[in-house]
Amino acid sequence: DGFYKGGNAPYGYMLVKSGRLDKKKNEKKNLAIKEDEAAIVRKIFDLYVRHGCGVHKIASVLNEEGIKTRAGKNWHHASINGMIRNLTYTGVLRSGESRSPVIEALQIIPSHTFEMAQDILKRRARDVIAERTYPMRTESRCLLNGKVYCACCGSRLVVATNGRYIEENGVKLKK
């Protein structure tokens, strides 16, 4: 019926009283967009879809900019991953396999942007690693990063480091 089933509101939304009562005479609540959080949700999808950032990079960007979660903590990549997979941001409520029609008042992300994000998720998945054509990592200072392909599997080659360096006489050396 397009009503919210209950539970905590996803990031970007808030619960508002609906005026409807359930069987136990408790007031039901509806979802409504919380605009300050919705702007962050839009930023997350923009970084993921338009700028090619991964979930780790997005969490780092948000943390570096001082943007906190609803609980006032730093962002974790798993939270970002869950948000990218959450169909509710398109204005569609779901319960199991049931889906509501698009509710314009709840739409934070356009459907085509959400579908592009799902496509990127699928192409970056580890189970399709042999046929991957979309890089896991898109930025590096290395000249040929992402531009050279493996002769065996056709995947893009990227430079990855663990980020552990020590400084010796003003020069950063890898541990």
Side-chain angles (χ1 to χ4, degrees):
D1 293 333
F3 295 123
Y4 187 60
K5 296 270 300 176
N8 293 332
Y11 191 85
Y13 296 99
M14 61 184 168
L15 295 174
V16 293
K17 294 180 178 183
S18 68
R20 294 178 292 121
L21 300 176
D22 63 11
K23 293 177 184 177
K24 296 180 181 179
K25 306 291 185 210
N26 295 324
E27 187 168 21
K28 297 278 225 168
K29 295 186 177 178
N30 287 338
L31 283 180
I33 292 177
K34 190 172 183 182
E35 200 50 53
D36 58 333
E37 290 181 0
I40 296 166
V41 171
R42 288 184 195 100
K43 179 179 183 124
I44 288 169
F45 275 87
D46 183 58
L47 287 170
Y48 193 75
V49 173
R50 288 191 50 232
H51 297 285
C53 295
V55 292
H56 290 274
K57 179 66 177 175
I58 294 170
S60 295
V61 167
L62 294 175
N63 293 333
E64 287 168 7
E65 291 180 4
I67 299 170
K68 300 292 183 185
T69 65
R70 192 179 281 165
K73 296 183 178 181
N74 282 337
W75 288 92
H76 191 270
H77 65 89
S79 301
I80 304 293
N81 194 20
M83 292 172 73
I84 290 170
R85 295 173 186 272
N86 192 344
L87 182 64
T88 306
Y89 294 123
T90 64
V92 175
L93 298 179
R94 62 183 170 84
S95 177
E97 295 299 316
S98 300
R99 305 281 186 266
S100 74
V102 175
I103 302 167
E104 296 289 329
L106 295 180
Q107 191 173 34
I108 295 176
I109 302 298
S111 296
H112 68 276
T113 302
F114 182 79
E115 289 167 14
M116 288 170 56
Q118 301 316 297
D119 185 50
I120 292 169
L121 269 173
K122 194 183 316 176
R123 290 190 288 157
R124 284 183 174 168
R126 295 218 183 274
D127 59 341
V128 294
I129 199 162
E131 58 201 51
R132 181 180 298 145
T133 57
Y134 202 84
M136 293 284 283
R137 231 181 121 159
T138 58
E139 71 175 47
S140 174
R141 292 185 207 164
C142 298
L143 179 64
L144 298 175
N145 194 54
K147 294 176 176 61
V148 177
Y149 293 86
C150 176
C152 295
C153 68
S155 293
R156 293 178 193 235
L157 298 178
V158 294
V159 175
T161 64
N162 64 5
R164 295 184 186 159
Y165 291 90
I166 57 171
E167 194 165 323
E168 208 171 274
N169 298 329
V171 178
K172 286 188 175 182
L173 302 172
K174 193 168 182 178
K175 275 188 178 177

